[in-house]
Amino acid sequence: MSLALDHLDSTQALAARLDAELRRAHPKAIIAKALEMFGDELALVSSFGAESAVLLHMASEVSRDIPVLFLDTGMLFGQTLDYRQQLAAKLGLTDVRDLRPRFEDLAVGDPKADLWKTDTDACCHIRKVIPLDMALSGFSAWITGRKRFHGGDRMRLPVVEAADGKLKFNPLANWNKADLEAYAAEHDLPEHPLVAFGYPSIGCWPCTNPVEEGADIRSGRWAGSQKTECGIHTARAPGAPPDLGGDI
């Protein structure tokens, strides 16, 4: 067995053990366990979107120094950029890192900044997948804000999983919308300004629409297409480069 495959097997075994141990744990306890195990090799990835304040607040109470990776795609709503500054300051986060697409990738793949009109997968790849892959290369584990109640493939989301040779912790996997709202109210967390205008899930402005009350929470993302994920949560084989033209 190659060293890469041996590492993959051990990572998957560790993920399975931790998932069994933590699947009923409080999200803050899951974050604390991740930090205890991985220290400065742990990062939290946040969109500073509609539901981000809850996870970021919990993380700040465990440690304000956890690196927070924020994908500034160049296509975000101005309200999101303002919210990122406001929330990071309120929570006292000391290490928020703004990840931007590489100039050379934009120059070659999206020189007119209109790739989203013809190939949303390739646009997400340039503006999200590549920058995050590069940033995560220095970490062994990361924390996400995904939840099962968002539906789709997320309905089967474990609390801990292995992906691309790293561990991914999903502390809010078990929580529903009522849990999030109660926590945000208890801790007086500021709401993303677009939520009041019917945006329950917020990404880049060209591919995010408001939704009717009661509709699926992610139905405003890439509306009218079969796309449901940007690609950053799609695992790839060890050492395999992402496919620019594929369904990422």
Side-chain angles (χ1 to χ4, degrees):
M1 180 180 292
S2 71
L3 288 176
L5 289 177
D6 187 45
H7 172 71
L8 179 63
D9 287 344
S10 63
T11 302
Q12 290 174 333
L14 178 58
R17 178 175 67 78
L18 288 172
D19 184 59
E21 175 186 338
L22 298 172
R23 65 181 54 175
R24 298 285 183 266
H26 188 277
K28 193 186 296 185
I30 296 170
I31 297 170
K33 180 68 173 182
L35 184 62
E36 175 191 331
M37 292 186 65
F38 291 96
D40 59 8
E41 294 185 5
L42 175 73
L44 186 154
V45 177
S46 177
S47 66
F48 283 83
E51 298 171 346
S52 297
V54 169
L55 183 64
L56 289 169
H57 180 269
M58 291 178 179
S60 73
E61 292 206 322
V62 174
S63 171
R64 294 181 176 182
D65 300 329
I66 295 175
V68 176
L69 308 182
F70 170 60
L71 286 161
D72 182 355
T73 65
M75 293 278 187
L76 298 178
F77 290 95
Q79 293 91 332
T80 298
L81 299 176
D82 291 343
Y83 186 61
R84 171 252 183 268
Q85 297 290 342
Q86 173 195 7
L87 190 57
K90 178 179 176 63
L91 300 180
L93 301 172
T94 66
D95 192 7
V96 180
R97 306 180 188 184
D98 298 328
L99 311 182
R100 298 183 175 91
R102 296 185 299 185
F103 172 79
E104 56 267 37
D105 291 330
L106 293 175
V108 172
D110 193 10
K112 297 181 179 179
D114 61 357
L115 184 59
W116 60 270
K117 295 179 180 179
T118 57
D119 193 339
T120 54
D121 285 336
C123 185
C124 285
H125 180 85
I126 291 172
R127 296 178 180 275
K128 292 186 175 183
V129 177
I130 292 176
L132 184 60
D133 278 354
M134 293 177 62
L136 285 174
S137 65
F139 297 96
S140 298
W142 51 300
I143 298 167
T144 90
R146 291 178 299 162
K147 310 152 194 83
R148 294 191 194 111
F149 83 91
H150 282 184
D153 290 340
R154 300 187 180 199
M155 292 179 69
R156 299 183 295 275
L157 186 68
V159 168
V160 186
E161 61 186 319
D164 301 323
K166 303 180 189 296
L167 256 63
K168 289 170 69 173
F169 291 83
N170 308 304
L172 298 176
N174 296 324
W175 276 35
N176 58 35
K177 188 172 179 59
D179 294 326
L180 297 171
E181 291 175 345
Y183 187 94
E186 178 185 355
H187 297 280
D188 193 27
L189 300 179
E191 185 176 74
H192 190 296
L194 289 178
V195 171
F197 293 93
Y199 290 84
S201 180
I202 302 164
C204 295
W205 66 261
C207 300
T208 306
N209 296 320
V211 303
E212 297 292 332
E213 186 173 352
D216 183 271
I217 197 167
R218 288 178 62 83
S219 61
R221 305 291 294 277
W222 307 286
S225 74
Q226 297 299 309
K227 185 177 174 68
T228 60
E229 296 282 355
C230 65
I232 65 173
H233 295 297
T234 303
R236 292 174 288 279
D243 180 2
L244 252 175
D247 180 13
I248 58 175

